[in-house]
Amino acid sequence: MTKKINIAIDGYSSCGKGTLAKVLAKSLNYIFIDTGAMYRAVTYAMIQKGIGLDNLVELEKLLPSLSITFKHIPEDDFYHTFLNGNDIENEIRSMAVSNLVSPVSKIQIVRDFLVKQQQEIGLNKGVVMDGRDIGTVVFPNAELKIFMTAKAEIRAQRRLNELKENGNLSITYEEVLKNLNDRDYSDSNRSNSPLLKAEDAIVIDNSELSKAEQNELALSFAHKAIGKA
Ligand code: DC
């Protein structure tokens, strides 16, 4: 039997990490985990409960009450994020959550809470996980690490198309680009677990790559890493 490995995919906002991670997980029959969705779920819960960014006392009480799970929904062939049993996939992609998630992800107790769960999911291997600190903090020993990037303007256009397809018609390109640039800056410059390329990560810049080309490239890296494991 071939050995299973863990695959860490890190990179900037909206450069298709999730799409690639899903393709790899499906082809290899691995579990797919979108850790950005976990930070978004915590942010959504804080908004729902009216807990502000500096209210660490209430946040510390809130965290243990949150159960974040993922379920594959056959109707849209998509993994949806569930919070305490409720499907919140659409809510966590809203601009309200997008604008607050970066500061929330800087809070150390939030990171500790989520990183512990992510590491537990990886214990049995066979996981493709995407995020910002997967190759550096969550799975520093991952057998394959990919760092993805693309030009900000291209990422903003892709994200805008996605939001429009989901019915968010009022949003503008400028708003999306600003949100991306702000999050890139904040994610890369925070003091705890900033977005960093792990030394042993392979870089994929998909600005000029088709999805098919990118998938083929990443799958070839995955098969090579599995062969070596
Ligand atoms: O991948 P995304 O855009 O859905 O992530 C949302 C935010 O969560 C992003 O601004 C950075 C943060 N994040 C993080 O700090 N660490 C991770 N492993 C994943 C996401």
Side-chain angles (χ1 to χ4, degrees):
M1 208 180 90
T2 49
K3 259 190 162 174
K4 289 199 165 185
I5 64 169
N6 282 336
I7 301 179
I9 303 188
D10 290 300
Y12 292 98
S13 301
S14 299
C15 56
K17 297 185 297 292
T19 310
L20 177 65
K22 264 177 259 172
V23 167
L24 289 180
K26 206 168 185 178
S27 320
L28 301 169
N29 207 12
Y30 279 17
I31 296 169
F32 157 66
I33 300 288
D34 171 0
T35 61
M38 299 172 84
Y39 287 92
R40 287 171 181 271
V42 171
T43 306
Y44 172 74
M46 287 171 69
I47 295 173
Q48 289 294 99
K49 300 273 178 198
I51 300 175
L53 288 170
D54 43 14
N55 193 347
L56 293 184
V57 174
E58 286 304 315
L59 182 57
E60 202 157 13
K61 282 191 222 157
L62 173 75
L63 290 175
S65 75
L66 303 181
S67 157
I68 303 166
T69 50
F70 297 98
K71 201 166 132 192
H72 181 259
I73 304 292
E75 285 89 74
D76 56 6
D77 191 20
F78 203 76
Y79 285 87
H80 285 210
T81 311
F82 284 72
L83 180 63
N84 298 339
N86 298 314
D87 186 340
I88 55 160
E89 187 57 37
N90 219 9
E91 288 81 351
I92 62 168
R93 308 291 162 194
S94 68
M95 284 310 279
V97 170
S98 293
N99 284 330
L100 204 66
V101 63
S102 223
V104 168
S105 70
K106 282 186 187 167
I107 303 172
Q108 194 60 49
I109 56 170
V110 172
R111 299 207 75 82
D112 293 346
F113 173 73
L114 293 179
V115 167
K116 187 164 171 277
Q117 295 181 22
Q118 293 154 7
Q119 288 177 329
E120 279 166 9
I121 297 168
L123 285 177
N124 294 328
K125 306 267 180 175
V127 177
V128 185
M129 196 172 276
D130 87 73
R132 303 293 189 289
D133 59 343
I134 312 304
T136 51
V137 175
V138 180
F139 297 154
N141 298 321
E143 291 83 351
L144 174 62
K145 300 179 186 178
I146 295 177
F147 189 87
M148 288 180 68
T149 180
K151 290 191 188 88
E153 291 73 17
I154 291 179
R155 290 187 278 134
Q157 190 58 54
R158 289 177 186 160
R159 185 65 150 202
L160 182 70
N161 297 346
E162 216 174 79
L163 284 163
K164 296 228 148 141
E165 273 166 30
N166 291 329
N168 296 294
L169 300 177
S170 59
I171 194 113
T172 65
Y173 170 81
E174 285 71 27
E175 278 176 283
V176 176
L177 182 63
K178 179 171 181 332
N179 174 267
L180 277 191
N181 281 331
D182 289 351
R183 282 200 290 143
D184 286 352
Y185 182 84
S186 167
D187 295 343
S188 307
N189 291 284
R190 68 178 175 227
S191 53
N192 41 3
S193 312
L195 169 61
L196 270 181
K197 184 185 98 60
E199 254 176 45
D200 49 350
I202 300 170
V203 177
I204 297 183
D205 180 334
N206 65 17
S207 305
E208 314 288 339
L209 290 181
S210 69
K211 269 192 192 161
E213 287 169 331
Q214 163 189 288
N215 296 345
E216 201 180 311
L217 189 64
L219 258 177
S220 73
F221 294 143
H223 287 304
K224 220 181 269 173
I226 292 168
K228 275 197 219 154

